[in-house]
Amino acid sequence: MKEPAVLFRETLVSLLEEKKYPTLRDVLVTLNPADIAALFEELPADRLPLLFRLLPKELAAETFVEMEPDEQELLIRGFSDNELKEVIDELYLDDAVDIVEEMPANVVKRILRSADPDTRKMINEILKYPEDSAGSIMTIEYVRLRRQFTVEQAIKHIRRTGIDKETIYTCYVTDDNRRLLGFVSVKTLLLSDEEASIEDVMETNVIYVYTTEDRETVANLFHKYNFIALPVVDEEQRLVGIVTVDDALDVMQEEYTEDIEKMAAITPSGKPYLKTSVFALWKARIPWLLLLMISATFTGMIITAFEQALAAQVTLAAFIPMLMDTGGNCGSQSSATVIRGLSLDEIEFSDLLRVQWKEIRVAVLCGVTLAAASFAKLLLFDKVTLAVALVVCVTLAVTVLCAKVVGCTLPILSMKVGFDPAVMSSPFITTIVDAISLMLYFSVATAVLGL
Amino acid sequence: MKEPAVLFRETLVSLLEEKKYPTLRDVLVTLNPADIAALFEELPADRLPLLFRLLPKELAAETFVEMEPDEQELLIRGFSDNELKEVIDELYLDDAVDIVEEMPANVVKRILRSADPDTRKMINEILKYPEDSAGSIMTIEYVRLRRQFTVEQAIKHIRRTGIDKETIYTCYVTDDNRRLLGFVSVKTLLLSDEEASIEDVMETNVIYVYTTEDRETVANLFHKYNFIALPVVDEEQRLVGIVTVDDALDVMQEEYTEDIEKMAAITPSGKPYLKTSVFALWKARIPWLLLLMISATFTGMIITAFEQALAAQVTLAAFIPMLMDTGGNCGSQSSATVIRGLSLDEIEFSDLLRVQWKEIRVAVLCGVTLAAASFAKLLLFDKVTLAVALVVCVTLAVTVLCAKVVGCTLPILSMKVGFDPAVMSSPFITTIVDAISLMLYFSVATAVLGL
């Protein structure tokens, strides 16, 4: 698939250089907003206001939504109050909120001042919901039907009001107090008799979420039920907004990127890698590296404590990396599996014992296999004494067991106490397992070899 | 949010035990297919055929789709030929294909024999597309319009044919040779003048994919453009099917899980953790553990080579874990960031030098910070000699640099040669960086300390 952005880029640059603005505009309007935004980012920033003003109002607003915060801020700073108002008026409310959340305080003030009073009030309402909640990602622009409507009236209502709604395909039926009674899809409306009443064709088994629900759970519901929209209610079951499937996709991508970053001991930034400054990357990585480096001191202290034993049998040092690495890998496997299961809602706290029992059995199988392979290699290839081979293999098997139990337990416990389980992944598990494996190694060695 | 499945479970079990089947049926039909499937999985497997037969035909088929392959197979084996035919006839084609892909050969034969000849032919067509391609996840049931239609005719056409289509909300306009001309959304149709022709209201700038496109790229397009459906064409630009947003969500979830598993050195299984047997978990994990354990031998050999130096200054051993861990963590940070950037299509092969240059600068910042912190700690806390502190800190700084360069380079190279970059993550990077850091450590130590 060749993306339009790639196809058009060179032509557009030359049109821009030759100042053929009407032609440029005619070409731009054939493109998708996401492609125009990607294109604008590749062009010199000082041309951005000029290019943006070429776009018709609606397309301009749609393109604005797709831009990176840096470019949005640059444009807003260049806008007259009137231009800003025009763009804000065209935005869907949830998009406006997303933009406001990314801007510095003085830009936010200008945006809110430019919005009409109703929009300003609604933006402020949504901003009050906690970050990462259903309330913070919902839009309040949806189609609301009355149960007394006929199908024909409902379609007319959609025709009259649908132009400003983010989706018209799922319509919600409420009573006079906005309490949610049911929903009906446009597919059902189109395939039903025009005379039928909404009450008869609506689906009353509605899956909904509260405004405070975690946004990742919301995204998982879209995956489970194949929705294209999901209603959001307040604590009195009144419909306050909807989340659409495109928001669920965004949430999924963002949450997943955050998970990967946390699992690699990086503070999530929310910015694409190539757009993040070297200093910002350093800031996101260094605290964890320092913390983990200091933690590794304990492992070093274990070695120091057994320095005499090590000096007496310096061969033992050669197997330290293998023991540490294998322990770390076993622990990482378990923690990654469990972290993923937790974020898919496949594993819950009540499964703790079940998970541990499963990991113990897997650990025994893995431990025996690895120890056997290692034993053969130690005797045949490394040609160590039987006693040393025994020390290494017993340590290995017990390390695998400890690693898998620690690896599966810590993410579940950390979720229980309210921390993100993703932090309890490879780097931390490895650090803990390193200390355990060396402690085991030297204890077994001193006992067996009589050091 | 309290899910219906939880609310109803206990009632249902008692209804089942009391054999109150009509009541049971009345309760079940109020539930969502995904919830019924989840519920059925919690009940004894021998009741499954009985429960399934209580459901009305359409709901039965929708529930069937949501079940795990094990339960599906169990049901199919219990079905009469007639029952099987009824279920298959109700399925959307892409769902039927998904099921066929999971079943053993003899069950597949029965399914294909039960399907009517047209369906069988279409299932076989889709099965020919490579796994993980757009062709393998598409459905061929979409609404096709002619450009000569008026909006009114189009809506009538949808009313007549829409019942069997997976989505009616995006309709595709083709010429007589099925070549894709444009698309029109039901929203546009409803908001347009009834007399307008489809040719006038359709959007001609169509983003499409070829049947061979990678399914992860397809899912990324949904995220980029906020589509609810995406057309799939053959190499002659003829429309052969569509992918819907719910399939994109599925793909995203599956690909994420696979990525996380690969990054933790596990062979992806595609099954939920709690449903995977201990033996299957062992089989997915042990090859990588063995491979990595054997690779760690090289690190051990480096220590053996410098055994004399180590025996002369056994203090050096205490800093091995810290150097290995910090190197591993630095490498993992870079590789995780780059792997994520690659799968989001934010980083391409042509960015290699740009990425390396960025990582080198980050590595210098991180290396200097870590070395400085470490230097202070070594002198003040560990009270080692200045020479030993210098050896450790110089090694640390250079290790960080090597780790970050290796960590960002290997995933990009591995993508270039056609391997999954996710494999080049923490476990492999750590193993490689371990060897590098120990080699550096002992080389610096022998040079500075004159061992």
Side-chain angles (χ1 to χ4, degrees), chain A residues 254-265:
Chain A
E254 278 173 34
E255 289 282 336
Y256 182 64
T257 304
E258 281 183 17
D259 269 4
I260 295 243
E261 286 174 331
K262 284 183 198 151
M263 288 172 80

Side-chain angles (χ1 to χ4, degrees), chain B residues 161-212:
Chain B
T161 62
I163 188 89
D164 287 331
K165 309 303 183 191
E166 194 165 339
T167 184
I168 63 163
Y169 300 135
T170 313
C171 306
Y172 298 91
V173 188
T174 59
D175 67 13
D176 292 339
N177 297 319
R178 284 198 166 253
R179 246 175 281 264
L180 190 58
L181 301 174
F183 71 91
V184 59
S185 72
V186 163
K187 183 172 178 177
T188 306
L189 288 179
L190 284 179
L191 302 179
S192 297
D193 182 4
E194 293 197 335
E195 301 304 313
S197 87
I198 291 299
E199 189 151 25
D200 293 336
V201 298
M202 75 182 183
E203 176 68 62
T204 53
N205 169 32
V206 198
I207 307 279
Y208 57 84
V209 291
Y210 291 102
T211 50
T212 48

